Amino acid sequence: MSPGSIFEEAYGRPDAGSAGAAGGGTLSGTVEEIIYAREDTGFVILSLEGDDGGLHSVLGVMPDVTEGDLLRLRGRWENNARYGRQFRVLEYERELPSDVAAIERYLSSGAIRGIRLKTAHKIVAQFGEDTFDVIENHPEWLAEVPGITVKRAREISEEFKKQSDMRGTVMFFRDYFGPELTMRIYKRFGSESVSVAKENPYALCGEVQGIGFDRADAMARSMGYPEDSPSRIECGVRHVLVSNAAQNGHVCLPEDKLTATAAGMLHVTEDAAKDALAVLISQGELIAERDGDGRLIYEKHAYADEKYIAKKLSTIDRKCIPIDAGNVDSFINKEEMSRGIRYADAQRRAIADALVHGVMVLTGGPGTGKTTVVRALLDIFDSMDLDTALAAPTGRAAKRLSEATSREARTVHRLLEAEYAGEGADGRRLTFRRCEKDLLDEHVIIIDEASMLDSALTAALLRAIKPGARLIIIGDADQLPSVGAGNVLHDIIDSGAFATVCLTEIFRQAQESLIVTNAHAINRGEMPTLDVRDRDFFFLQRVSDVEIAATVVDLCVKRLPAAYGVDPMSGIQVITPSRRGAGGTQNLNALLQRALNPGDGEKRELRFRDVIFRVGDKVMQTRNNYELEWTRGNKEGVGIFNGDIGVIEAINTSSQSMTLNFDDRIVDYSFSDLDDMELAYAITVHKSQGSEYPIVIIPMYGAPEMLLTRNLFYTAVTRAQKMVILVGRQDVVRTMVENKRQMLRYTGLCRRIREKAGD
């Protein structure tokens, strides 16, 4: 049972929708009782004996607070329908009690592990007002108290110092960060948190989730760090490199581009940026590699991943034992007879290459028979007693692969048994149990939707493949590249080092679908057919952005449900190029939420930043979370992934949690994780990768040229299973078809693969 559900069982469910501000203010007093606490977030509900003589209900993020603490609080009063008047804390100060009675009460509360009621009384009786000084600075004196050994005295002192460290950390960072970020800092650096920040505030950047360069820089500048301090410039240079990986997919950057960008951002000279870069290279934090007349700069992990991918792919291809050509033809012929079909020449070649080579790439658009090839290979490998693993980068893609093959398919992360260990920039650092020390058992690894593979995940996958195993890579090279850094599928194909088959023939059944034929037309740079009214691809012309948005809402709310009986929540997905603008996700989500799930004063809701989340809302997970536990009936599991879409079933403001349903997987979700969630009535094309939806609506409106591209349009269209509806301007359709622009991604993988192939 989750912490939230335990609390609800004991105290009932608060009416989140009824909570309203009743004015700000201050409050001080002594903590009477901790009613509820979440260790992971620091959120507590407590009763406070106020200096005014009253007993008050208080809630907020206060990770270091215990019973008996003296608190000075700033916040606001709220009225809760179930609990009445409550004080929600925005800022707090914590003090230790100073009089003997309060000290004894504090110790007897269990605030310090190892001290209970009788022991507390003995300690205070002996040391009085000096008790805390003795515990912290003279723990050996505690051994004079009957019942306390030297070992126990030392443990009590260490626990007290730990709490003092936490208290000092909270006090130090309160002027810079909120309590949640402060707690993350403490989890990462422990008792060294304050000293680390004082010595170099930029050390927090990249080490603590939520603290990027801008926040670290603001803290440093307020502490008096000059604009041209070496620590600042070094952090800024590294930030430019890392942020370009995260936002633009670059594995590396040319040296001149990196230093010029960093200098402009930091308002320093390029020479200063070059000096900082030289220091980072000398420390091994960044790697420089000669590239023609210049140098490419890598973050050390990205550099190692790229080198490993090239080396391991070459090794897999060389060490796999090929199947005799005569046997290959026999296998294919038997499969044709068994299934009563005739494979196209390209399909036969793909099957043969997968049997002959250690690494094989299969690419092609919708309706070209990639799944048919996979089914044939699975049958053939079964007949050879070879174990096969099926995987895809996302949960939805894995589910589709499983449905298409009637075999178990997993996410790549699940295949590699992803887990967290230690501390990293995202809290605990992601690791994979399956690696070079614990290789995958399967003889054949088939990866679908490989266009979504980034460099880091590809390296992790390859580390887990055993010698002699086969790797079959399947994807549509014309779709958008991975969200993460790298352009792996393109680089592998462009290297020319491995067997590659591109399926181009559209099979008769697929030819009957305008979705398929229009997708291929778009990919060829041709206008799709827009004037056929009785098929599965429609164009509704609208001129203004306001008209486009209004029509999208009308289709979702009224027209499509009335005409086809489709559920607007599960059966329709709006996919749009941009987050901004009238046709962007931000505006459309607000409009669709208002139309499909309006606030009525009864539904619980909460505001997070500029977004209202409400019970009944359609939402999307935007970052892989491998620790979220879910239940589906009697089945339990772990992990909710980037792109998973669910519905909010309950919101509990008192326990700071909500209950979500992801395809019948029920999850308790902490408010502290809301940065990883957004409304999903409308999503970007990038977020739709690897997924399919019954009906897809695509707004065609004015947006930046870099977003109105052919491959983005092609990707959006190919997400639809049954129907595509374009809403907007025909000139935008033409612009997207004609715009072959693809975002350049700096990588060295293609060159490295070619070099390894030549060894």
Side-chain angles (χ1 to χ4, degrees):
M1 183 177 291
S2 69
S5 59
I6 292 171
F7 178 81
E8 291 167 11
E9 183 177 305
Y11 296 96
R13 295 177 64 89
D15 185 351
S18 67
T26 59
L27 183 65
S28 59
T30 304
V31 178
E32 178 74 19
E33 181 185 6
I34 303 291
I35 299 171
Y36 172 78
R38 289 190 67 144
E39 186 177 348
D40 58 337
T41 64
F43 178 81
V44 298
I45 302 172
L46 58 86
S47 59
L48 186 84
E49 184 180 332
D51 293 344
D52 58 5
L55 191 64
H56 306 288
S57 176
V58 174
L59 66 162
V61 179
M62 297 177 282
D64 61 329
V65 168
T66 59
E67 293 175 3
D69 278 346
L70 303 177
L71 300 180
R72 288 198 296 270
L73 311 172
R74 187 183 71 79
R76 64 176 185 267
W77 289 101
E78 298 177 345
N79 293 314
N80 187 285
R82 187 177 293 273
Y83 299 112
R85 197 164 183 250
Q86 296 179 308
F87 191 83
R88 185 172 294 274
V89 177
L90 302 177
E91 293 181 3
Y92 74 102
E93 293 183 18
R94 175 180 182 267
E95 295 181 355
L96 288 172
S98 56
D99 65 88
V100 171
I103 292 172
E104 183 173 334
R105 178 187 176 191
Y106 175 85
L107 293 179
S108 62
S109 72
I112 301 176
R113 191 165 50 205
I115 301 179
R116 294 298 179 191
L117 182 62
K118 289 183 179 180
T119 305
H121 180 73
K122 293 177 184 177
I123 293 173
V124 175
Q126 184 153 337
F127 300 111
E129 294 179 356
D130 297 326
T131 294
F132 291 138
D133 179 63
V134 170
I135 292 174
E136 184 169 12
N137 300 310
H138 307 284
E140 67 278 5
W141 295 0
L142 289 175
E144 299 173 7
V145 177
I148 299 181
T149 64
V150 174
K151 179 183 178 183
R152 190 181 178 196
R154 189 164 49 248
E155 291 172 346
I156 290 171
S157 180
E158 289 173 355
E159 178 69 18
F160 183 78
K161 287 177 180 178
K162 182 180 178 182
Q163 291 191 11
S164 296
D165 291 336
M166 170 68 82
R167 189 180 309 117
T169 300
V170 170
M171 295 298 290
F172 177 81
F173 287 108
R174 67 178 180 175
D175 294 331
Y176 307 110
F177 310 117
E180 289 186 12
L181 274 181
T182 298
M183 195 164 180
R184 291 175 187 172
I185 294 169
Y186 187 79
K187 284 184 176 180
R188 173 63 182 87
F189 295 104
S191 61
E192 302 297 317
S193 297
V194 175
S195 60
V196 167
K198 285 182 176 179
E199 182 178 345
N200 179 14
Y202 295 100
L204 304 179
C205 182
E207 291 293 325
V208 179
Q209 183 189 2
I211 302 181
F213 175 79
D214 290 341
R215 279 188 160 174
D217 193 42
M219 178 182 180
R221 301 300 295 277
S222 70
M223 295 169 63
Y225 273 70
E227 192 170 67
D228 60 352
S229 81
S231 294
R232 178 175 185 265
I233 303 174
E234 289 164 20
C235 183
V237 168
R238 192 174 187 278
H239 167 73
V240 170
L241 186 62
V242 172
S243 63
N244 265 277
Q247 298 170 16
N248 301 318
H250 301 308
V251 177
C252 54
L253 285 176
E255 181 178 6
D256 56 352
K257 184 179 182 69
L258 172 60
T259 53
T261 304
M265 182 191 76
L266 298 168
H267 306 292
V268 299
T269 66
E270 285 196 38
D271 285 342
K274 289 178 181 177
D275 290 343
L277 176 60
V279 171
L280 291 167
I281 292 172
S282 68
Q283 294 174 341
E285 290 296 315
L286 302 183
I287 308 294
E289 187 173 67
R290 182 62 56 184
D291 181 53
D293 295 332
R295 295 195 301 177
L296 292 174
I297 309 301
Y298 289 80
E299 191 272 331
K300 61 182 180 181
H301 298 296
Y303 180 76
D305 285 343
E306 197 173 85
K307 288 190 68 177
Y308 186 85
I309 292 169
K311 178 182 178 181
K312 187 62 180 284
L313 282 173
S314 179
T315 300
I316 293 172
D317 199 45
R318 288 199 311 266
K319 291 192 174 182
C320 184
I321 300 174
I323 297 170
D324 181 80
N327 289 332
V328 167
D329 286 336
S330 175
F331 280 128
I332 297 174
N333 293 336
K334 287 180 181 178
E335 189 64 18
E336 285 183 330
M337 291 182 61
S338 172
R339 290 189 174 270
I341 60 174
R342 179 79 176 172
Y343 296 121
D345 290 344
Q347 289 178 313
R348 289 184 67 91
R349 188 166 68 253
I351 297 169
D353 282 351
L355 298 177
V356 171
H357 298 280
V359 176
M360 182 266 181
V361 180
L362 176 62
T363 184
T368 57
K370 296 191 299 293
T371 302
T372 301
V373 172
V374 173
R375 293 194 191 104
L377 288 171
L378 289 171
D379 287 346
I380 293 170
F381 290 135
D382 283 349
S383 70
M384 298 169 63
D385 292 325
L386 297 178
D387 295 328
T388 305
L390 291 173
T394 69
R396 283 181 169 259
K399 183 179 180 181
R400 286 174 41 230
L401 180 60
S402 182
E403 291 170 349
T405 61
S406 301
R407 302 287 188 99
E408 181 190 14
R410 291 166 281 180
T411 65
V412 176
H413 290 86
R414 188 65 60 219
L415 175 70
L416 301 179
E417 300 180 33
E419 56 190 13
Y420 284 99
E423 296 290 333
D426 292 325
R428 293 199 291 165
R429 180 173 50 86
L430 179 65
T431 61
F432 299 96
R433 193 173 75 81
R434 295 292 189 168
C435 58
E436 290 167 314
K437 296 180 180 179
D438 189 4
L439 298 168
L440 293 169
D441 299 321
E442 290 83 0
H443 306 95
V444 183
I445 312 296
I446 299 177
I447 305 297
D448 196 18
E449 294 287 356
S451 62
M452 300 177 67
L453 283 176
D454 61 31
S455 184
L457 185 57
T458 303
L461 171 66
L462 296 178
R463 288 189 181 97
I465 297 178
K466 67 183 181 181
R470 283 179 168 77
L471 175 63
I472 300 169
I473 303 169
I474 303 169
D476 188 342
D478 295 313
Q479 289 190 23
L480 292 172
S482 60
V483 174
N487 203 7
V488 175
L489 180 61
H490 269 277
D491 285 345
I492 291 174
I493 294 172
D494 291 346
S495 73
F498 307 106
T500 301
V501 176
C502 180
L503 302 180
T504 56
E505 180 182 349
I506 305 173
F507 290 93
R508 187 175 64 183
Q509 186 176 359
Q511 289 176 350
E512 298 174 0
S513 168
L514 270 180
I515 296 173
V516 173
T517 57
N518 276 342
H520 284 273
I522 292 165
N523 200 33
R524 294 192 299 267
E526 302 169 2
M527 281 290 287
T529 301
L530 303 176
D531 55 358
V532 177
R533 292 288 181 179
D534 60 348
R535 300 279 292 276
D536 55 6
F537 196 106
F538 301 91
F539 174 68
L540 302 181
Q541 184 162 317
R542 299 291 185 272
V543 178
S544 73
D545 288 355
V546 173
E547 286 181 306
I548 293 170
T551 301
V552 169
V553 173
D554 187 50
L555 285 166
C556 291
V557 178
K558 297 178 181 178
R559 294 171 63 176
L560 290 174
Y564 300 99
V566 64
D567 180 356
M569 300 291 280
S570 61
I572 304 171
Q573 185 59 60
V574 179
I575 300 178
T576 184
S578 173
R579 299 181 64 86
R580 296 182 174 83
T585 58
Q586 293 175 349
N587 183 56
L588 287 176
N589 272 320
L591 294 175
L592 287 165
Q593 182 191 50
R594 194 180 306 149
L596 292 170
N597 190 36
D600 56 10
E602 298 293 328
K603 294 178 182 176
R604 298 171 188 168
E605 61 182 45
L606 67 97
R607 180 178 292 275
F608 182 77
R609 303 201 173 140
D610 296 327
V611 179
I612 293 174
F613 291 104
R614 184 177 295 132
V615 170
D617 273 337
K618 183 178 181 180
V619 294
M620 171 180 280
Q621 177 75 13
T622 60
R623 187 172 67 94
N624 291 336
N625 188 325
Y626 307 98
E627 293 190 302
L628 280 175
E629 299 178 356
W630 53 261
T631 60
R632 179 187 282 151
N634 296 324
K635 187 178 179 181
E636 297 181 348
V638 180
I640 300 295
F641 303 103
N642 185 4
D644 282 353
I645 290 178
V647 176
I648 299 175
E649 292 193 340
I651 295 175
N652 188 333
T653 55
S654 289
S655 64
Q656 298 262 293
S657 66
M658 61 175 67
T659 303
L660 290 97
N661 187 330
F662 291 95
D663 292 329
D664 296 326
R665 293 171 296 165
I666 307 302
V667 179
D668 281 329
Y669 202 96
S670 171
F671 288 0
S672 63
D673 293 323
L674 284 176
D675 277 323
D676 301 336
M677 182 187 293
E678 59 187 34
L679 295 175
Y681 300 98
I683 63 176
T684 63
V685 180
H686 287 85
K687 286 297 182 184
S688 74
Q689 288 178 266
S691 299
E692 287 186 347
Y693 313 93
I695 299 176
V696 168
I697 301 173
I698 309 173
M700 308 300 291
Y701 64 101
E705 183 183 356
M706 60 182 294
L707 295 175
L708 299 180
T709 64
R710 182 186 299 174
N711 66 335
L712 188 140
F713 190 15
Y714 172 78
T715 301
V717 168
T718 55
R719 299 308 88 202
Q721 296 170 317
K722 298 179 179 180
M723 186 180 298
V724 170
I725 303 174
L726 309 182
V727 181
R729 294 163 25 207
Q730 191 162 329
D731 66 298
V732 175
V733 177
R734 185 171 298 280
T735 295
M736 296 187 77
V737 169
E738 295 177 350
N739 184 4
K740 295 192 297 182
R741 174 178 176 176
Q742 295 189 27
M743 292 294 293
L744 171 67
R745 290 197 167 188
Y746 289 106
T747 84
L749 181 59
C750 180
R751 170 179 54 81
R752 293 188 198 282
I753 292 174
R754 288 173 178 171
E755 290 172 353
K756 284 295 177 183
D759 289 348

